[in-house]
Amino acid sequence: MPLMVSDYSWTQTESTVCISVDLKGHRADRVDVVSTDEYLKVHFPPYLFEAFLFQPVDDVRGTAKVGNGVACFSLPKKIQGMWEQLMITTYDKVQQREVRERAVVKYQEKLSSQSTSKAAQKQAERRYGLETLMKLEQEERDAVQKVKDAEREKTRAELEAWQLRPETGASEEAQRQVRRQSHAPAPPDPPTEKQSAGRPEELPAQRPSGNIPVRFTTRVFPTPLRESRAAEEEEWSRKQAEARRAGDPDAVELGGLTEKELRADWLKDKGDQCFVSGDYLGAVNAYSLALRLHRDIPALYSNRAACHLKLRNLHKAIEDSSQALVLLTPPVAANAASRSRAHVRRGSAFCQLQLYAEGENPRGLSALCEGLLAAHLLWDVSSGLQDYQAALRIQPDDEALQADTQTIRDAIQGPPARLDTQ
C-alpha cells in the first residue's frame, strides 16, 4: 500500500492555482503524473500524492515541472475566484473511486487523442514532403524541356537559313567573274566520271614491314634513367643496406639458408630428432635458430630447457622454462600438458642446482630424490617443490608426478624421528 504524501504546499490567484510536491529525493524519470480537470495524482513509489480539486481546472493549458526533487504544477482555473481550500475532503471512498475512474478514462482519452493528432501531423508532414519533392522534380523537368525547345528552335532557324542560300551554279559563276577581273589563273576542273573510269587508279607502294627492338635499362628506382642521379641513388642504396645489417645482425648468418630451413616447424622437428638421437647440443642449436626467427612459440623454449637439463646448463633451463610459462598464458585446457612439462623441467633444474655435488646420479628426478634420501641432504629445494606442486595441480592423476612430489617433500621435511627403546 502506498504512503500518502502530506508534505506539499499550494498558492493561488484569481485565475491560477500552484501546487508544489516534495519528491523526497526521487529522480524525475521515476515520477508518474496524472492530471484532469478535477483530479491530480503524483506517484513516485512508494509514495503517492493525490488531490480531489476543490473546483475544476483547465488541464490542457496547465503546466508541470519536475526536477531538483520537487514537482511544481500551475493549473489555470475554469471559474475565476479564490478557493477556500485545495481539496474536497467530504468525499467518501465510493466517490473517490468514481473520481479516480473518471480521471483514468479522461487521461486515456487524452493520450489517445494526442497519439492520433501526432500520427495525423506526421502524415501531413510526409504528404507535404512528398508534394514538395514532386514539385521540385516537375520544375526540373520543365527546365529540361525548356532547354530542348530552345535548341529545337535554334536548329530550325539554322535549317531555314541554309535553305534560303543562293544556288551553287550562281555562286560558281560569281567566283569566275571575280577571277577574270583579277586575272588570276582558274583552278583546273576536276576530272569527269568518264575520264576517271578510263584511267586506272594509282595506289601508293606498300610500306616494308620490320621489327624495332626496344630495350629498357634495369633499375631499382621507379623513375626513368634520364631523370635520375646515379651517384645519389647508389649512396642511398648503400646506406639502406648498412641500416638493415645494423638492425638485423642475424641477416648475414641466415643468408645461406633455404626457405624450408627457415621455417619454425622444420627447425623444431630437426631439434626433436637430435634430442632423440642424443645430440643435445645440435638440438639446442636448432631450437635457438627457430627462436631467433620466431620468438613467440612456447614449445621451442620448453624443449630447449629439456636439452639444457641434459647438458647440465641448469640456469639456462630455468630461464627457458620460465619463458615458456610466460607464453603459455592464459592457462586453458589446451595448453595444460605443456604447462605441466614446463613446471616439471624448471622444478628439476631447481633441485639439481641445490644438489650439484660429486657423486650425483643425473638419471632423472626419481634418482635425484633417492640421492636426497640417502645422503639426508637438507638443502632448500622449496622452489622445485612449488613447481612440482603446480604441475600436480594441472595433472593430479599422474602417479609418477605424485611420487616425485612426495619424495621432494619428504626430503625437505627430513626423516621421521625414532624413539630409542631399551
Side-chain angles (χ1 to χ4, degrees):
M1 182 176 180
L3 301 177
M4 303 304 295
V5 176
S6 60
D7 186 9
Y8 68 93
S9 61
W10 71 287
T11 58
Q12 64 173 331
T13 62
E14 290 288 338
S15 60
T16 307
V17 59
C18 298
I19 304 173
S20 177
V21 181
D22 186 9
L23 299 179
K24 301 185 182 298
H26 285 70
R27 298 196 308 268
D29 57 351
R30 301 190 60 185
V31 178
D32 182 21
V33 178
V34 176
S35 175
T36 62
D37 58 348
E38 59 180 350
Y39 178 75
L40 174 64
K41 183 186 77 171
V42 182
H43 183 214
F44 46 101
Y47 299 98
L48 173 65
F49 170 79
E50 62 177 359
F52 301 93
L53 300 176
F54 186 74
Q55 289 183 0
V57 295
D58 189 358
D59 61 318
V60 176
R61 295 190 300 114
T63 60
K65 296 182 179 179
V66 181
N68 298 326
V70 180
C72 298
F73 302 91
S74 178
L75 306 174
K77 296 178 181 180
K78 287 186 176 181
I79 302 175
Q80 294 188 359
M82 302 300 290
W83 292 0
E84 297 178 0
Q85 55 189 8
L86 178 63
M87 307 180 195
I88 299 176
T89 58
T90 58
Y91 284 166
D92 56 5
K93 293 184 178 180
V94 176
Q95 292 175 330
Q96 290 179 358
R97 184 171 65 251
E98 292 176 354
V99 173
R100 292 191 189 100
E101 291 175 355
R102 288 198 303 269
V104 170
V105 172
K106 290 181 180 179
Y107 188 69
Q108 290 177 352
E109 291 176 353
K110 180 180 178 181
L111 292 179
S112 178
S113 63
Q114 289 178 354
S115 177
T116 305
S117 63
K118 286 183 179 179
Q121 183 181 1
K122 186 179 294 184
Q123 183 68 19
E125 291 176 355
R126 187 181 297 109
R127 187 182 301 108
Y128 174 76
L130 183 60
E131 292 175 355
T132 305
L133 181 61
M134 294 174 62
K135 183 178 179 181
L136 291 175
E137 291 179 352
Q138 184 62 34
E139 291 178 355
E140 291 180 359
R141 285 194 294 269
D142 294 342
V144 172
Q145 187 64 33
K146 186 177 180 181
V147 172
K148 289 182 178 179
D149 295 340
E151 291 294 331
R152 189 180 296 111
E153 292 295 333
K154 181 180 178 181
T155 304
R156 186 182 296 111
E158 292 178 355
L159 181 60
E160 292 176 355
W162 179 79
Q163 291 176 353
L164 295 176
R165 290 188 306 171
E167 296 181 358
T168 308
S171 173
E172 292 178 355
E173 183 64 24
Q175 292 178 3
R176 291 194 191 95
Q177 185 69 21
V178 172
R179 284 197 297 271
R180 196 178 298 115
Q181 294 176 358
S182 60
H183 304 286
D189 295 333
T192 62
E193 295 182 0
K194 293 182 178 180
Q195 295 174 354
S196 300
R199 186 170 54 190
E201 185 179 0
E202 296 181 0
L203 299 177
Q206 186 177 5
R207 294 179 180 179
S209 61
N211 297 327
I212 300 176
V214 178
R215 293 177 296 177
F216 298 96
T217 305
T218 303
R219 287 181 48 74
V220 177
F221 294 88
T223 57
L225 184 60
R226 62 179 178 273
E227 299 178 2
S228 66
R229 300 178 180 178
E232 295 180 2
E233 292 176 359
E234 292 177 359
E235 179 68 17
W236 184 86
S237 300
R238 184 181 61 79
K239 291 182 178 179
Q240 290 293 321
E242 292 178 357
R244 284 195 297 270
R245 286 194 296 269
D248 188 9
D250 300 333
V252 180
E253 301 179 12
L254 302 178
L257 299 180
T258 62
E259 182 178 359
K260 177 182 178 181
E261 294 173 346
L262 292 176
R263 294 206 313 265
D265 54 351
W266 187 88
L267 291 170
K268 181 179 178 299
D269 294 340
K270 192 69 175 179
D272 295 343
Q273 295 174 6
C274 293
F275 184 86
V276 172
S277 62
D279 184 9
Y280 304 122
L281 188 58
V284 168
N285 293 333
Y287 294 139
S288 300
L289 182 56
L291 285 172
R292 188 182 301 174
L293 300 172
H294 307 278
R295 300 182 182 275
D296 55 350
I297 302 178
L300 297 175
Y301 287 101
S302 182
N303 293 356
R304 192 170 70 173
C307 297
H308 285 312
L309 278 174
K310 295 292 185 179
L311 295 172
R312 310 293 295 177
N313 299 329
L314 304 180
H315 291 284
K316 292 184 178 180
I318 294 173
E319 182 180 352
D320 285 346
S321 301
S322 301
Q323 185 62 29
L325 289 173
V326 170
L327 294 175
L328 289 170
T329 53
V332 293
N335 60 14
S338 300
R339 287 186 287 113
S340 178
R341 286 194 297 269
H343 278 297
V344 169
R345 287 166 182 170
R346 189 171 69 175
S348 178
F350 274 124
C351 293
Q352 293 187 41
L353 273 176
Q354 300 298 331
L355 297 177
Y356 191 81
E358 184 179 358
E360 180 187 349
N361 185 3
R363 291 177 297 169
L365 180 61
S366 298
L368 177 62
C369 294
E370 291 176 1
L372 272 169
L373 291 173
H376 300 284
L377 300 173
L378 299 178
W379 286 289
D380 183 14
V381 289
S382 59
S383 299
L385 178 60
Q386 291 176 2
D387 278 310
Y388 271 90
Q389 289 175 344
L392 190 60
R393 284 193 295 269
I394 298 173
Q395 295 180 334
D397 299 332
D398 193 335
E399 297 180 356
L401 191 58
Q402 294 175 0
D404 292 340
T405 305
Q406 186 61 37
T407 304
I408 296 175
R409 187 182 293 110
D410 295 341
I412 294 175
Q413 294 175 355
R418 294 182 298 176
L419 298 176
D420 295 335
T421 58
Q422 295 180 357

PDB file of all heavy atoms in Angstrom, residues 32 48 86 120 210 301 319 367 371 379 394:
ATOM      1  N   ASP A  32       5.392   9.465 -11.887  1.00  0.00           N
ATOM      2  CA  ASP A  32       4.242   9.285 -12.771  1.00  0.00           C
ATOM      3  C   ASP A  32       3.182  10.315 -12.386  1.00  0.00           C
ATOM      4  O   ASP A  32       2.766  10.390 -11.217  1.00  0.00           O
ATOM      5  CB  ASP A  32       3.690   7.862 -12.629  1.00  0.00           C
ATOM      6  CG  ASP A  32       2.526   7.615 -13.566  1.00  0.00           C
ATOM      7  OD1 ASP A  32       2.406   8.357 -14.558  1.00  0.00           O
ATOM      8  OD2 ASP A  32       1.719   6.692 -13.296  1.00  0.00           O
ATOM      9  N   LEU A  48       2.628   8.402  -2.685  1.00  0.00           N
ATOM     10  CA  LEU A  48       1.531   8.776  -3.556  1.00  0.00           C
ATOM     11  C   LEU A  48       0.921  10.074  -3.049  1.00  0.00           C
ATOM     12  O   LEU A  48       0.609  10.214  -1.859  1.00  0.00           O
ATOM     13  CB  LEU A  48       0.463   7.679  -3.588  1.00  0.00           C
ATOM     14  CG  LEU A  48      -0.824   8.017  -4.350  1.00  0.00           C
ATOM     15  CD1 LEU A  48      -0.527   8.195  -5.824  1.00  0.00           C
ATOM     16  CD2 LEU A  48      -1.873   6.934  -4.131  1.00  0.00           C
ATOM     17  N   LEU A  86      -7.798  23.625  -1.021  1.00  0.00           N
ATOM     18  CA  LEU A  86      -7.294  22.991  -2.241  1.00  0.00           C
ATOM     19  C   LEU A  86      -8.088  21.757  -2.620  1.00  0.00           C
ATOM     20  O   LEU A  86      -8.384  21.520  -3.790  1.00  0.00           O
ATOM     21  CB  LEU A  86      -5.810  22.617  -2.071  1.00  0.00           C
ATOM     22  CG  LEU A  86      -5.156  21.891  -3.253  1.00  0.00           C
ATOM     23  CD1 LEU A  86      -5.139  22.779  -4.485  1.00  0.00           C
ATOM     24  CD2 LEU A  86      -3.735  21.449  -2.901  1.00  0.00           C
ATOM     25  N   ALA A 120      -1.560  12.091 -37.275  1.00  0.00           N
ATOM     26  CA  ALA A 120      -2.059  12.929 -38.362  1.00  0.00           C
ATOM     27  C   ALA A 120      -1.029  13.975 -38.766  1.00  0.00           C
ATOM     28  O   ALA A 120      -0.843  14.258 -39.961  1.00  0.00           O
ATOM     29  CB  ALA A 120      -3.364  13.594 -37.932  1.00  0.00           C
ATOM     30  N   GLY A 210      58.797  -4.656 -90.560  1.00  0.00           N
ATOM     31  CA  GLY A 210      60.007  -4.944 -89.791  1.00  0.00           C
ATOM     32  C   GLY A 210      59.759  -4.810 -88.295  1.00  0.00           C
ATOM     33  O   GLY A 210      58.694  -4.358 -87.862  1.00  0.00           O
ATOM     34  N   TYR A 301      60.938 -23.007 -26.363  1.00  0.00           N
ATOM     35  CA  TYR A 301      61.608 -22.734 -25.091  1.00  0.00           C
ATOM     36  C   TYR A 301      61.588 -23.960 -24.182  1.00  0.00           C
ATOM     37  O   TYR A 301      62.583 -24.292 -23.531  1.00  0.00           O
ATOM     38  CB  TYR A 301      60.937 -21.547 -24.401  1.00  0.00           C
ATOM     39  CG  TYR A 301      61.221 -20.224 -25.021  1.00  0.00           C
ATOM     40  CD1 TYR A 301      60.295 -19.619 -25.858  1.00  0.00           C
ATOM     41  CD2 TYR A 301      62.417 -19.551 -24.772  1.00  0.00           C
ATOM     42  CE1 TYR A 301      60.547 -18.383 -26.432  1.00  0.00           C
ATOM     43  CE2 TYR A 301      62.670 -18.314 -25.346  1.00  0.00           C
ATOM     44  CZ  TYR A 301      61.734 -17.739 -26.179  1.00  0.00           C
ATOM     45  OH  TYR A 301      61.998 -16.524 -26.732  1.00  0.00           O
ATOM     46  N   GLU A 319      65.664 -20.499 -17.058  1.00  0.00           N
ATOM     47  CA  GLU A 319      65.262 -19.320 -17.832  1.00  0.00           C
ATOM     48  C   GLU A 319      64.315 -19.690 -18.967  1.00  0.00           C
ATOM     49  O   GLU A 319      63.275 -19.049 -19.174  1.00  0.00           O
ATOM     50  CB  GLU A 319      66.519 -18.648 -18.382  1.00  0.00           C
ATOM     51  CG  GLU A 319      66.231 -17.380 -19.171  1.00  0.00           C
ATOM     52  CD  GLU A 319      67.506 -16.747 -19.696  1.00  0.00           C
ATOM     53  OE1 GLU A 319      68.602 -17.222 -19.301  1.00  0.00           O
ATOM     54  OE2 GLU A 319      67.404 -15.796 -20.495  1.00  0.00           O
ATOM     55  N   ALA A 367      65.836 -40.669  -9.416  1.00  0.00           N
ATOM     56  CA  ALA A 367      67.174 -40.985  -8.915  1.00  0.00           C
ATOM     57  C   ALA A 367      67.713 -39.841  -8.071  1.00  0.00           C
ATOM     58  O   ALA A 367      68.393 -40.068  -7.062  1.00  0.00           O
ATOM     59  CB  ALA A 367      68.111 -41.273 -10.090  1.00  0.00           C
ATOM     60  N   GLY A 371      68.893 -39.962  -4.118  1.00  0.00           N
ATOM     61  CA  GLY A 371      70.132 -39.429  -3.571  1.00  0.00           C
ATOM     62  C   GLY A 371      69.875 -38.498  -2.405  1.00  0.00           C
ATOM     63  O   GLY A 371      70.632 -38.470  -1.434  1.00  0.00           O
ATOM     64  N   TRP A 379      69.195 -29.309   1.764  1.00  0.00           N
ATOM     65  CA  TRP A 379      69.236 -28.043   1.040  1.00  0.00           C
ATOM     66  C   TRP A 379      67.820 -27.535   0.777  1.00  0.00           C
ATOM     67  O   TRP A 379      66.836 -28.305   0.753  1.00  0.00           O
ATOM     68  CB  TRP A 379      69.987 -28.228  -0.293  1.00  0.00           C
ATOM     69  CG  TRP A 379      71.475 -28.366  -0.123  1.00  0.00           C
ATOM     70  CD1 TRP A 379      72.340 -27.401   0.240  1.00  0.00           C
ATOM     71  CD2 TRP A 379      72.255 -29.555  -0.320  1.00  0.00           C
ATOM     72  NE1 TRP A 379      73.607 -27.887   0.296  1.00  0.00           N
ATOM     73  CE2 TRP A 379      73.596 -29.224  -0.062  1.00  0.00           C
ATOM     74  CE3 TRP A 379      71.963 -30.859  -0.692  1.00  0.00           C
ATOM     75  CZ2 TRP A 379      74.621 -30.131  -0.162  1.00  0.00           C
ATOM     76  CZ3 TRP A 379      72.986 -31.760  -0.788  1.00  0.00           C
ATOM     77  CH2 TRP A 379      74.300 -31.399  -0.510  1.00  0.00           C
ATOM     78  N   ILE A 394      47.863 -29.398 -12.163  1.00  0.00           N
ATOM     79  CA  ILE A 394      47.401 -29.477 -13.546  1.00  0.00           C
ATOM     80  C   ILE A 394      47.073 -30.918 -13.915  1.00  0.00           C
ATOM     81  O   ILE A 394      46.051 -31.185 -14.570  1.00  0.00           O
ATOM     82  CB  ILE A 394      48.469 -28.905 -14.487  1.00  0.00           C
ATOM     83  CG1 ILE A 394      48.725 -27.423 -14.166  1.00  0.00           C
ATOM     84  CG2 ILE A 394      48.064 -29.046 -15.949  1.00  0.00           C
ATOM     85  CD1 ILE A 394      49.878 -26.818 -14.935  1.00  0.00           C
TER      86      ILE A 394
END
